[in-house]
Amino acid sequence: MDATARKARKAAVGTALPHDSAHLHVSGRAAYTDDLPEPRDLLHVAVGMSAKAHARLRSIDLSDVLDAEGVVDVCLAADIPGENNCGPIVHDEEILAADTVEYVGQAIFAVAARTVEQARRAAQLAKIEYEELEPILDPLAAVEKDSFVLPSETLTRGDPAAAITGAPRRLQRRITIGGQDQFYLEGHISMCTPQEDGGLLVYSSTQHPDEVQHLVAKATARAAKDVVCICRRIGGAFGGKESQAATIACIAALMTVRTGRSCKLRLDRDVDMIMTGKRHDFVVDYDVGFDETGRIRGIDFSFASRCGISADLSGPVNDRMMFHSDNAYFLDNVNIESHRCKTNTVSNTAFRGFGGPQGMFAIEYAIDDIARTLGMDPLEVRRRNYYGVGERDVTHYGQTVEDNILDLVTDKLETDADYRRRRAAVREFNRANTVLKRGIALTPVKFGISFTSTHLNQAGALVHVYRDGTVHLNHGGTEMGQGLYIKVAQVVADELGVPVSAIRINAADTSKVPNASATAASSGSDMNGKAAQIAARKIRTRLTEFAARHFSVNESAVDFGDGRVSAGTETLDFAELVQLAWFERVSLSATGFYKTPKINYDRSTSSGRPFFYYAYGAAVTEVVVDTLTGENRIVRVDIVHDCGDSLNPAMDLGQVEGGFVQGAGWLTSEELWWNDAGELQTHAPSTYKIPTCSDLAPEFNVTLLENAANREDTIYRSKAVGEPPFMLAISVFHAIRDAIATDGNPLPALDAPATPEAILRAIEGMKP
Ligand code: MTE
Ligand code: MOS
């Protein structure tokens, strides 16, 4: 069925249905992990954390902790019955530090008590003697000392050195890009309940229940079959609960195993920010050669990222950074060096965009510098370097960009946002004003969709049809607010020709759908939508065969829609057909399995097709900056974004708006700051500033590209939307840069985040 036919049939797919839990969210009845009914014997867990950035643990005295009111038990590394590891890929991170602590906030012990307050208070009473060691606190120091969590990687195409030196013009710069805390509203949490005969049931606020199941099993010396992990919804994750939720679940499970009682660990905001990983901050050096038209001849990047104490997801995050340091631009002579620095700070992890934003930020900075050096409109330089169609279309990792719609998106946005006229008006404004300065920028996004580790691109689903014609839906994806569950329900509804209200959406549950990948890389609806469609289609096929037999018609004469089934001249309710089929012993339950086609990547040659397709978008942002204080406001944002044929335009719009605002926070106000002792000083909203409603642009126009069917065979030709819009916010940064650049000094050295302080520093730095 194409989009028009679906509309005629009142199909669910493509409709702007509200989030399935919207009515529960707004009335406070949506049950998050902490809202689940508490078992009678529940204990609350708190974590004792390292006070030092790098030290040997000389002695740990927990007698006062054990004596504290309400305390039932404590657990140290040595008490762990299984593997003391929560490293998801590389087994290099301890759940509880055994001999050495490597960052301030690292978990050393856990304590279980009757109330949350008792546990948290008791955790403060440990007497720990440290033998301090030299810490490494930033990526550059790590590079100097060869301190890495993983080997450095390089990706080279052409002859960048020769291209750069042979180019008519050349620029070099070092930029720093700040990290970011995920700042989900619901902090990390897990509750574990003992089951009979050694079994464990783990409720976890996790993007990856399968990994929680496996890591809990290993830590508690069990097999995967003995552990079930369930997650109905997450109160925001943004990548922060992809790997690191497992640590929290492991600690809760270890206390459950020790005490034989249900245990819940909920981190408060400060502990959450101190103890769990964030977006990687980077230091980037680039060296670019270009010609007078603004075209890049050759570019060399050296990236150093703060990975913290362990590999966690830093390998794939940095890989994605390397894959995205082209953004929308064809780089035929390029060298990208990536250092994955080991520092004595919390282990950094996934965050929306997964390295992509940092790579794209770097190339956008270089492009902007080129334009300003040549006195050109940066948009002209962007366009001059865009990937071509049918030429200049192979990425530096060997994938051909087959679906390039950069010109289409840019043309539309340039017109819709009235870019040219407004750019002239901004120049006019700046000539007339000395203190307030305006700036405007248009930046594009091209973002690759798929996990870069090919094997992760698989998904499963489980669909039951009950005798009354209602449907029970499970798949391996997790709901973190992004609207995945309603989208998949829409797909199943259309497959069975029933309304969405006939479907019960169920929690992610490792006992129903096994071996699921994390809900990440924006691929949740692509993969789980297809898996659920395959499962539902199996049932529909059986029902079709049955109806054809039963009513003596051809299978082609059987049709499903609007809760009804027609078979030749007969029509009946879906529930009636189901009842008849059940009576004739037709199976009404099925699993679905999907693996993303066409993708492959060979690490040894750094080439292949890591991405099934690309998602595109572009944004124009206009800002006004007070050049005496550095304060700034976004005054208008225009976005054109490509969601393919949207499964649900309401959800997609929310993702575009939310992603953009979160990206703007990353690049303007959210600043992570560690002191010289390696203590994170910004661990609460009082010191760490995320955007609020009042930071929203008063004019915020978002258009989802229409008639933009994905050329690849994705679920209803839609495109993934979770992460790509985040990077539209790079336009905010360049609008600020545009505002503070002057004719005499077109190249302000502005670092990210562009806080008022950073803006003032850049303005000061330009003074002669
Ligand atoms: N939207 C909300 N509301 N909450 C979230 O935690 N996470 C983002 C994005 N959008 C997130 C969100 C991230 S990091 C990813 S990878 C995708 O959602 C994951 O979901 P999807 O694959 O279903 O798009
Ligand atoms: Mo998203 S950073 O891939 O969880």
Side-chain angles (χ1 to χ4, degrees):
M1 257 195 289
D2 66 8
T4 337
R6 288 206 308 273
K7 205 161 252 168
R9 172 155 260 190
K10 292 194 229 109
V13 167
T15 311
L17 293 180
H19 194 286
D20 54 280
S21 297
H23 62 297
L24 303 176
H25 292 151
V26 296
S27 59
R29 288 176 296 148
Y32 295 88
T33 300
D34 207 25
D35 304 314
L36 298 173
E38 295 186 341
R40 214 183 322 129
D41 65 347
L42 180 73
L43 296 173
H44 295 270
V45 181
V47 179
M49 302 190 296
S50 169
K52 301 292 173 197
H54 195 193
R56 222 159 267 131
L57 290 168
R58 228 191 251 140
S59 68
I60 305 170
D61 176 357
L62 298 184
S63 48
D64 289 351
V65 179
L66 271 165
D67 288 346
E69 195 193 342
V71 168
V72 174
D73 202 0
V74 295
C75 178
L76 282 158
D79 303 321
I80 296 177
E83 244 182 86
N84 182 14
N85 168 64
C86 56
I89 302 172
V90 185
H91 289 199
D92 63 347
E93 191 172 348
E94 294 169 327
I95 300 166
L96 298 172
D99 305 312
T100 313
V101 284
E102 294 190 289
Y103 75 97
V104 175
Q106 188 173 359
I108 299 175
F109 67 94
V111 48
R114 284 198 300 274
T115 69
V116 180
E117 290 69 28
Q118 286 170 341
R120 288 180 181 170
R121 218 168 282 142
Q124 305 301 315
L125 303 175
K127 292 199 272 294
I128 299 171
E129 283 183 355
Y130 301 93
E131 180 191 327
E132 289 199 53
L133 304 166
E134 185 76 30
I136 295 174
L137 293 175
D138 70 84
L140 291 180
V143 171
E144 219 159 81
K145 294 191 170 137
D146 270 334
S147 166
F148 302 117
V149 293
L150 291 163
S152 300
E153 301 276 345
T154 41
L155 217 166
T156 310
R157 170 165 68 179
D159 188 349
I164 294 166
T165 43
R169 306 289 289 262
R170 182 172 182 177
L171 269 173
Q172 287 153 322
R173 184 193 282 283
R174 165 165 293 181
I175 46 187
T176 64
I177 311 171
Q180 186 179 24
D181 190 272
Q182 290 82 3
F183 220 103
Y184 24 64
L185 288 183
E186 175 207 38
H188 273 287
I189 180 163
S190 175
M191 179 168 77
C192 181
T193 300
Q195 306 289 291
E196 68 173 32
D197 209 8
L200 293 173
L201 173 59
V202 183
Y203 293 97
S204 168
S205 180
T206 175
Q207 294 171 251
H208 201 175
D210 166 79
E211 194 163 273
V212 168
Q213 176 195 19
H214 281 85
L215 286 171
V216 164
K218 289 231 167 76
T220 59
R222 281 162 172 72
K225 69 176 172 52
D226 302 321
V227 180
V228 172
C229 179
I230 296 180
C231 177
R232 172 58 184 87
R233 62 172 63 76
I234 311 167
F238 305 110
K241 295 171 182 170
E242 187 173 340
S243 61
Q244 304 211 348
T247 318
I248 312 305
C250 283
I251 294 173
L254 286 166
M255 290 313 304
T256 293
V257 169
R258 279 183 73 76
T259 60
R261 293 169 65 168
S262 299
C263 286
K264 178 152 80 178
L265 172 56
R266 184 185 80 226
L267 304 186
D268 79 7
R269 178 65 55 187
D270 299 80
V271 172
D272 191 298
M273 289 186 76
I274 291 168
M275 211 186 112
T276 68
K278 304 156 201 324
R279 181 185 296 288
H280 295 64
D281 51 301
F282 276 74
V283 179
V284 193
D285 290 305
Y286 78 72
D287 185 354
V288 62
F290 53 100
D291 63 24
E292 303 295 342
T293 72
R295 189 165 271 187
I296 293 175
R297 294 277 180 87
I299 189 160
D300 180 278
F301 287 112
S302 176
F303 289 89
S305 68
R306 178 199 301 274
C307 299
I309 64 159
S310 67
D312 188 87
L313 299 171
S314 293
V317 163
N318 281 276
D319 287 352
R320 186 170 280 271
M321 176 280 292
M322 296 173 83
F323 288 139
H324 284 82
S325 34
D326 59 343
N327 189 17
Y329 312 109
F330 176 68
L331 307 174
D332 51 357
N333 294 293
V334 55
N335 182 54
I336 303 164
E337 193 177 35
S338 159
H339 299 297
R340 293 106 199 257
C341 303
K342 177 167 178 166
T343 51
N344 290 106
T345 47
V346 63
S347 191
N348 280 333
T349 191
F351 194 147
R352 207 171 198 170
F354 210 81
Q358 294 94 323
M360 288 158 64
F361 183 86
I363 184 70
E364 288 299 342
Y365 212 118
I367 292 261
D368 206 64
D369 274 348
I370 293 170
R372 296 182 178 287
T373 304
L374 297 173
M376 291 172 67
D377 178 345
L379 178 56
E380 293 314 310
V381 176
R382 291 195 157 91
R383 283 185 181 274
R384 199 170 305 280
N385 287 284
Y386 272 178
Y387 277 105
V389 176
E391 44 100 41
R392 294 166 46 86
D393 60 355
V394 180
T395 64
H396 52 300
Y397 45 89
Q399 172 161 354
T400 302
V401 183
E402 296 169 346
D403 54 12
N404 183 351
I405 50 168
L406 285 161
D407 279 330
L408 178 78
V409 169
T410 310
D411 289 347
K412 177 165 171 53
L413 179 64
E414 196 180 331
T415 315
D416 290 1
D418 202 6
Y419 171 82
R420 271 166 205 283
R421 190 194 58 75
R422 286 171 57 210
R423 188 163 189 275
V426 162
R427 296 284 166 279
E428 198 52 47
F429 178 93
N430 289 351
R431 268 191 290 277
N433 290 275
T434 49
V435 174
L436 293 185
K437 297 284 183 186
R438 288 186 176 245
I440 190 168
L442 186 157
T443 59
V445 166
K446 165 183 136 287
F447 192 77
I449 303 299
S450 293
F451 287 95
T452 54
S453 302
T454 303
H455 69 277
L456 296 178
N457 296 287
Q458 53 172 308
L462 175 66
V463 175
H464 304 318
V465 174
Y466 294 110
R467 278 187 286 134
D468 66 354
T470 62
V471 181
H472 177 103
L473 169 61
N474 272 102
H475 52 80
T478 56
E479 176 62 46
M480 56 196 95
Q482 83 276 40
L484 171 63
Y485 280 15
I486 184 66
K487 287 183 177 179
V488 178
Q490 287 170 272
V491 168
V492 170
D494 284 2
E495 205 55 42
L496 297 175
V498 299
V500 169
S501 60
I503 298 172
R504 165 64 62 164
I505 295 170
N506 291 279
D509 181 333
T510 57
S511 67
K512 288 194 179 159
V513 177
N515 310 321
S517 291
T519 305
S522 303
S523 60
S525 49
D526 280 10
M527 296 204 313
N528 295 289
K530 277 280 192 189
Q533 182 183 45
I534 290 165
R537 188 162 290 174
K538 284 183 187 169
I539 299 172
R540 178 190 170 128
T541 303
R542 291 179 207 147
L543 286 172
T544 304
E545 287 163 3
F546 165 73
R549 239 184 4 258
H550 190 81
F551 296 108
S552 305
V553 295
N554 276 331
E555 284 175 21
S556 60
V558 180
D559 196 19
F560 295 69
D562 299 338
R564 309 270 295 164
V565 181
S566 57
T569 52
E570 295 278 344
T571 63
L572 67 172
D573 281 345
F574 180 75
E576 288 176 282
L577 180 72
V578 165
Q579 182 67 228
L580 290 171
W582 172 75
F583 203 74
E584 291 296 322
R585 298 186 293 175
V586 174
S587 165
L588 297 170
S589 173
T591 59
F593 180 80
Y594 174 74
K595 54 180 183 181
T596 311
K598 292 191 177 179
I599 48 176
N600 62 78
Y601 187 70
D602 181 352
R603 283 199 73 92
S604 62
T605 58
S606 302
S607 66
R609 175 176 182 164
F611 305 117
F612 190 23
Y613 63 91
Y614 296 96
Y616 297 88
V620 173
T621 298
E622 183 176 342
V623 300
V624 57
V625 178
D626 181 330
T627 53
L628 289 180
T629 65
E631 287 166 287
N632 56 85
R633 289 214 167 284
I634 299 176
V635 293
R636 177 170 165 186
V637 177
D638 295 82
I639 290 171
V640 172
H641 196 79
D642 155 38
C643 308
D645 272 347
S646 172
L647 290 173
N648 182 325
M651 294 304 106
D652 287 356
L653 182 66
Q655 288 294 295
V656 176
E657 292 176 345
F660 178 86
V661 171
Q662 193 169 43
W666 170 50
L667 291 175
T668 60
S669 67
E670 299 183 39
E671 188 172 26
L672 293 166
W673 193 76
W674 284 267
N675 66 15
D676 293 341
E679 297 163 332
L680 179 66
Q681 299 292 289
T682 50
H683 50 75
S686 51
T687 44
Y688 184 81
K689 201 189 164 314
I690 61 168
T692 60
C693 298
S694 58
D695 296 313
L696 276 183
E699 207 179 333
F700 194 178
N701 307 312
V702 179
T703 308
L704 306 183
L705 204 62
E706 277 179 25
N707 303 319
N710 195 337
R711 73 197 296 283
E712 296 300 340
D713 179 18
T714 51
I715 187 76
Y716 288 98
R717 303 274 167 184
S718 63
K719 283 194 179 182
V721 70
E723 294 165 293
F726 181 93
M727 287 143 280
L728 295 169
I730 294 174
S731 60
V732 179
F733 185 89
H734 286 294
I736 293 175
R737 218 168 161 242
D738 187 48
I740 63 176
T742 58
D743 289 341
N745 278 302
L747 299 175
L750 182 64
D751 286 323
T755 58
E757 292 85 347
I759 291 171
L760 279 187
R761 264 198 308 276
I763 292 171
E764 285 300 313
M766 293 191 302
K767 292 193 177 147

